[in-house]
Amino acid sequence: MIAKIVQAALLVLVTGVLSLVALFGASALKWAQELPSLEALDAIEFTATSQVFARDGTEIGQIVPVFGEERESTNRMPVSLEEISPAALQAIIAYEDAQFFRHFGFNPLSVARAFYAEFVGDADRGGSTITTQLVKNTVLYDLRSDRSMERKAKELMLAIELERRLTKREILYQYVNVVFWGGNVYGIRAAAQTYFGKEPSELTLAEGLYLARLIPAPNVRHDDFLGSRASMREVLNRMVRTNVISSEAADRAWREPLQPRGWRVSYDGRGNVVEAERTDEQVLVQTSISSDLSRDVLISVRNFLTDRFGEGVVFGQGGLRIWTTIDVQAQRAANEAALRAEAPPGAQLAIAGLDPETGGILAMVGERPQPGEPPGELNRVTQARRQPGSSFKPIVYATAMELGGLHQASVIVDAPAVFETRGMPPYEPRNWDDAFLGPLTVRENMNQSRNIPAVKALEAASAQAVADRARELGIDVQPYFALALGAFEVTPLQHASAFGAFANAGELVEAHLVTRVEDAEGNVLFEARPRRKQVWSPQTAYAMLDLLHGNVVDTNPVALSHRVNVPGRWVAGKTGTTNDDRDIWFVGATPGLTAVVWIGNDLNRSLPSTMVNASGVNERVTSSRQPIYVWNDFVTNALQGRPANSDGFPVPDGIVFHRIDRTTGVISGSGTPVALPASIDVANTGVGRSLMIELAIDRRTGERATADTPWAFVDVIEVDPADLDQVLGGGVPLGDP
């Protein structure tokens, strides 16, 4: 009876086993037919983080690939095994798969334990080998969270095939570059940089063990430093027992004062933890861009890349190496100047610095940092379009110098005037102070930023000519009288670039940020060839720089930009304020750097007339104060330690210097030295005695002729500036009507 019961039990057991084997065999056959294409195993591809470099080769940020409907980011930078320290590789193999170089993709006993733990118990690392983990993280990525026999069986079948097709070193190379290390960190290079701020070649044995311990559950285990230390001790002991390392090496690793980012740890002399404290540092980057230098720069680089190559290349593939024109010192100076900037409450700012000789953007800050608020995506340097106000006047006067015969000693009358264009309402500009200063030289009119003389200078050259020059400089405008006062919109970058042509002997070089892009294999995808155009003659460009240098240094009366102060450096610049005080600017140049600062409100509201500064003093809000203070801060620190030239820019042939009276333009031994074209005949033009002004007079009224005055009644007369008020006031006879 017992024998029959035993036989029956054995029969049931054998039947069950055979059924399970048959079921598993049928399932395995089905799963084998569903395996990914074997070709995918020959060259497993993975996305890679793109690296962004400054002009000196310093890495300044990363652009992380994103994938999936939820736009998950993948921070990965592939490296070869030769770029990883042997100690770190030893640690990873010892922790993850000590039999890696001895098995053929799986360990039978480990697999049996893993099946039990996976479906019955609570698995830690289970029976996974480095090979099966590689399969899980690549060709079976969609099943990575599936705790099923199907996934395990597919892993085993693919692992065996992978071992057949690739060498152990090839498998190890791909594994260390695809393994997940928490957050959006993939691969050992991203992990080394994230947790230790190192390259993988610099990792020690202790650091390698710490990283290896994170692999099964990095986000959780990073928060458990004491658990990591205990695990490291166990692995070190095992490595000594199996003769992988000596006991001395294990002791050195244990005594190393390990300090992963996000932790502050103190140790005793034997390597035991005395105290481990979690810091507030955010370790795991989750965004698609990261930079310790400038988020604005990285956003601009990202936008350039996606516009040129498409999101598929930038985010779906990645692995790009991008070189920029950014100067690290200048960018840090811009960042700090923005942090220290004193501006009205709620006001925003933009700072841009360029190398005028190359067109390279050296620094940019697109927003005023706000405590407790995350940075935004809007880069006001490249995206905010605002009116430049009087800071556009240099382009007006330069055009009038080149096409209208003006120079620094020319006299223009600051008096009420109406400008008429057929088919348009009369244009009657006002001065910023609602006053009129009478006849003044171009030099002094610029120093005091007089509006009416600027419109007259535009009239002398023609509105069309000024608009044409502006377009050559990259600013799209229409020809009308208000153009002289900056009544149009421009970005801070466009404005700085246009101004840079003065600092580059009249040649505009297209502003650009990216100089070179390579793919992961080193193939050149892009190389910058910025457009160049000679907009001004070298003589006009230098004369304008000299004129704007006066805007900084002239006194009696003081020029509006007198608060500019960059120690030891020659500076030229111009303030700008728009109607209703909505925007305040300063744009300037010194050898090696052209820079602009804009301050305004994003909603285009007027700025307050006063503000309380850092010293607690109530001061006026004007373009001759706050933007200049920020400009001074930025430029001084951007150029600190670099050669200075107090003589300014090279003087081109065809320029001579004369001392003039800034009111009348007459030669004066005690006057202001100004740069004039050598072609000016000082004696005949009257600069040597008294510059005569030509006026078009309506003989019927004795007043200035207008566009409606018939030519038969127009007289052109020469007037001494000293007599101008009498002439226009009717005190001097003009002859028979």
Side-chain angles (χ1 to χ4, degrees):
M1 184 66 179
I2 294 176
K4 288 184 179 181
I5 293 175
V6 171
Q7 287 176 351
L10 287 174
L11 182 59
V12 171
L13 180 60
V14 170
T15 301
V17 170
L18 290 175
S19 298
L20 287 174
V21 170
L23 177 61
F24 183 78
S27 298
L29 181 60
K30 176 178 177 294
W31 296 332
Q33 294 172 342
E34 298 172 349
L35 292 177
S37 172
L38 296 180
E39 283 72 16
L41 300 174
D42 293 325
I44 296 174
E45 295 182 357
F46 35 78
T47 58
T49 296
S50 296
Q51 299 167 268
V52 182
F53 303 94
R55 66 176 183 171
D56 64 357
T58 302
E59 185 174 344
I60 60 173
Q62 301 163 1
I63 300 175
V64 181
V66 294
F67 61 93
E69 294 181 359
E70 297 182 0
R71 306 291 286 171
E72 297 178 6
S73 56
T74 306
N75 181 10
R76 182 187 352 252
M77 293 168 283
V79 290
S80 66
L81 294 183
E82 288 72 21
E83 296 175 276
I84 307 170
S85 75
L89 287 175
Q90 274 186 332
I92 292 171
I93 293 170
Y95 194 95
E96 285 295 290
D97 186 0
Q99 303 298 315
F100 174 66
F101 287 104
R102 299 186 183 91
H103 64 60
F104 295 97
F106 70 98
N107 185 316
L109 293 178
S110 296
V111 169
R113 289 196 303 270
F115 269 104
Y116 176 82
E118 193 77 28
F119 303 113
V120 180
D122 182 20
D124 182 7
R125 293 196 313 274
S128 294
T129 64
I130 284 176
T131 312
T132 56
Q133 288 188 63
L134 174 59
V135 168
K136 180 175 66 177
N137 283 289
T138 53
V139 293
L140 288 183
Y141 186 80
D142 292 340
L143 294 176
R144 66 192 185 282
S145 59
D146 184 9
R147 296 166 64 92
S148 69
M149 186 176 293
E150 176 186 354
R151 192 205 76 187
K152 279 294 182 183
K154 288 182 175 180
E155 278 182 12
L156 289 174
M157 287 185 279
L158 287 171
I160 293 170
E161 183 62 19
L162 189 59
E163 291 272 354
R164 189 181 70 82
R165 290 172 173 266
L166 302 180
T167 67
K168 288 289 187 180
R169 286 184 60 81
E170 289 171 335
I171 293 171
L172 185 60
Y173 157 73
Q174 294 191 347
Y175 172 74
V176 296
N177 281 300
V178 302
V179 68
F180 173 62
W181 254 294
N184 66 343
V185 178
Y186 292 80
I188 193 168
R189 186 174 187 187
Q193 292 184 349
T194 297
Y195 292 103
F196 294 108
K198 291 182 172 184
E199 289 298 312
S201 61
E202 302 170 319
L203 291 172
T204 64
L205 177 61
E207 291 165 341
L209 285 170
Y210 179 83
L211 292 180
R213 199 260 172 175
L214 296 182
I215 291 173
N219 293 324
V220 174
R221 293 190 175 189
H222 180 60
D223 290 330
D224 181 19
F225 185 77
L226 294 180
S228 294
R229 289 295 288 181
S231 177
M232 287 169 60
R233 179 75 272 176
E234 293 177 8
V235 178
L236 284 171
N237 292 341
R238 187 167 68 244
M239 293 175 76
V240 171
R241 287 197 306 269
T242 55
N243 296 317
V244 175
I245 60 173
S246 66
S247 58
E248 291 79 9
D251 188 58
R252 284 195 301 271
W254 182 248
R255 291 174 183 270
E256 180 183 326
L258 196 65
Q259 296 284 346
R261 285 178 61 186
W263 283 94
R264 187 180 299 110
V265 188
S266 58
Y267 299 85
D268 63 19
R270 293 174 294 179
N272 298 311
V273 174
V274 175
E275 184 179 10
E277 179 185 4
R278 192 74 163 85
T279 68
D280 294 331
E281 183 177 13
Q282 179 65 34
V283 177
L284 301 175
V285 178
Q286 299 290 347
T287 60
S288 65
I289 61 170
S290 64
S291 175
D292 292 331
L293 183 65
S294 171
R295 176 179 170 83
D296 290 329
V297 169
L298 265 290
I299 289 175
S300 294
V301 171
R302 180 198 66 190
N303 293 345
F304 169 85
L305 294 173
T306 54
D307 288 345
R308 189 172 188 88
F309 303 111
E311 290 195 359
V313 172
V314 179
F315 294 133
Q317 176 181 331
L320 304 176
R321 291 164 63 83
I322 306 105
W323 282 266
T324 71
T325 58
I326 291 297
D327 180 284
V328 174
Q329 178 176 322
Q331 185 62 52
R332 286 177 177 154
N335 296 345
E336 292 163 5
L339 283 170
R340 290 191 287 261
E342 295 185 29
Q348 270 295 348
L349 63 70
I351 302 172
L354 286 80
D355 180 343
E357 293 186 17
T358 66
I361 300 171
L362 303 179
M364 66 164 71
V365 173
E367 67 179 337
R368 183 184 179 196
Q370 302 295 327
E373 294 185 17
E377 286 273 327
L378 177 63
N379 183 348
R380 293 162 184 82
V381 169
T382 59
Q383 296 172 296
R385 300 187 59 82
R386 305 300 289 258
Q387 293 192 4
S390 293
S391 61
F392 182 72
K393 288 176 182 175
I395 294 172
V396 175
Y397 276 107
T399 309
M401 286 179 173
E402 207 155 83
L403 301 178
L406 295 186
H407 48 76
Q408 292 198 62
S410 299
V411 172
I412 304 178
V413 182
D414 180 18
V418 177
F419 300 86
E420 297 186 4
T421 302
R422 284 185 173 84
M424 296 183 66
Y427 178 58
E428 189 171 2
R430 298 167 48 198
N431 285 318
W432 58 270
D433 57 358
D434 287 326
F436 305 99
L437 303 184
L440 296 171
T441 61
V442 166
R443 175 91 169 203
E444 192 58 28
N445 274 311
M446 182 71 87
N447 284 351
Q448 302 306 316
S449 198
R450 311 311 294 170
N451 287 346
I452 295 171
V455 181
K456 291 180 178 180
L458 177 138
E459 185 180 40
S462 84
Q464 186 63 57
V466 173
D468 289 344
R469 289 300 172 97
R471 292 191 192 106
E472 290 183 70
L473 293 165
I475 303 172
D476 188 15
V477 295
Q478 298 302 316
Y480 46 83
F481 284 114
L483 177 63
L485 308 184
F488 59 91
E489 292 183 337
V490 66
T491 68
L493 181 61
Q494 288 174 318
H495 201 17
S497 177
F499 198 88
F502 294 130
N504 192 39
E507 184 183 37
L508 175 75
V509 186
E510 181 184 16
H512 61 286
L513 177 61
V514 176
T515 58
R516 183 181 177 91
V517 180
E518 294 180 359
D519 64 16
E521 284 72 43
N523 300 310
V524 178
L525 304 181
F526 168 82
E527 199 152 21
R529 292 179 177 83
R531 292 187 296 273
R532 294 175 172 268
K533 183 173 182 59
Q534 193 73 37
V535 178
W536 314 109
S537 71
Q539 293 75 26
T540 298
Y542 184 84
M544 181 52 60
L545 287 172
D546 182 69
L547 174 59
L548 294 173
H549 181 56
N551 200 243
V552 174
V553 301
D554 285 353
T555 57
N556 299 320
V558 68
L560 290 185
S561 298
H562 69 279
R563 293 183 177 87
V564 174
N565 180 27
V566 182
R569 298 188 186 274
W570 190 101
V571 177
K574 182 69 185 76
T575 57
T577 306
T578 61
N579 287 342
D580 301 322
D581 299 322
R582 293 175 179 173
D583 306 274
I584 51 179
W585 299 75
F586 184 76
V587 57
T590 190
L593 180 63
T594 298
V596 64
V597 172
W598 165 83
I599 295 175
N601 190 292
D602 281 340
L603 299 178
N604 205 23
R605 292 196 294 252
S606 297
L607 296 169
S609 58
T610 63
M611 61 169 283
V612 178
N613 63 23
S615 301
V617 176
N618 199 51
E619 69 174 3
R620 292 180 59 201
V621 174
T622 70
S623 58
S624 63
R625 292 177 182 271
Q626 289 78 23
I628 288 179
Y629 300 151
V630 177
W631 198 93
N632 286 343
D633 188 355
F634 165 50
V635 174
T636 298
N637 291 293
L639 297 176
Q640 187 173 25
R642 301 182 181 181
N645 181 359
S646 59
D647 295 330
F649 294 84
V651 182
D653 294 338
I655 288 291
V656 295
F657 288 87
H658 291 281
R659 288 184 175 270
I660 67 165
D661 181 291
R662 297 204 312 270
T663 299
T664 66
V666 300
I667 294 294
S668 169
S670 60
T672 302
V674 301
L676 296 173
S679 59
I680 295 294
D681 188 338
V682 175
N684 291 334
T685 58
V687 174
R689 48 184 181 81
S690 176
L691 179 67
M692 303 300 288
I693 303 172
E694 289 187 348
L695 287 180
I697 299 295
D698 186 331
R699 74 163 67 102
R700 299 170 302 177
T701 64
E703 300 295 330
R704 184 186 178 105
T706 70
D708 293 329
T709 303
W711 280 109
F713 296 99
V714 174
D715 285 335
V716 179
I717 65 172
E718 286 190 344
V719 180
D720 188 302
D723 298 330
L724 195 61
D725 288 339
Q726 284 183 298
V727 171
L728 293 177
V732 174
L734 300 175
D736 295 334

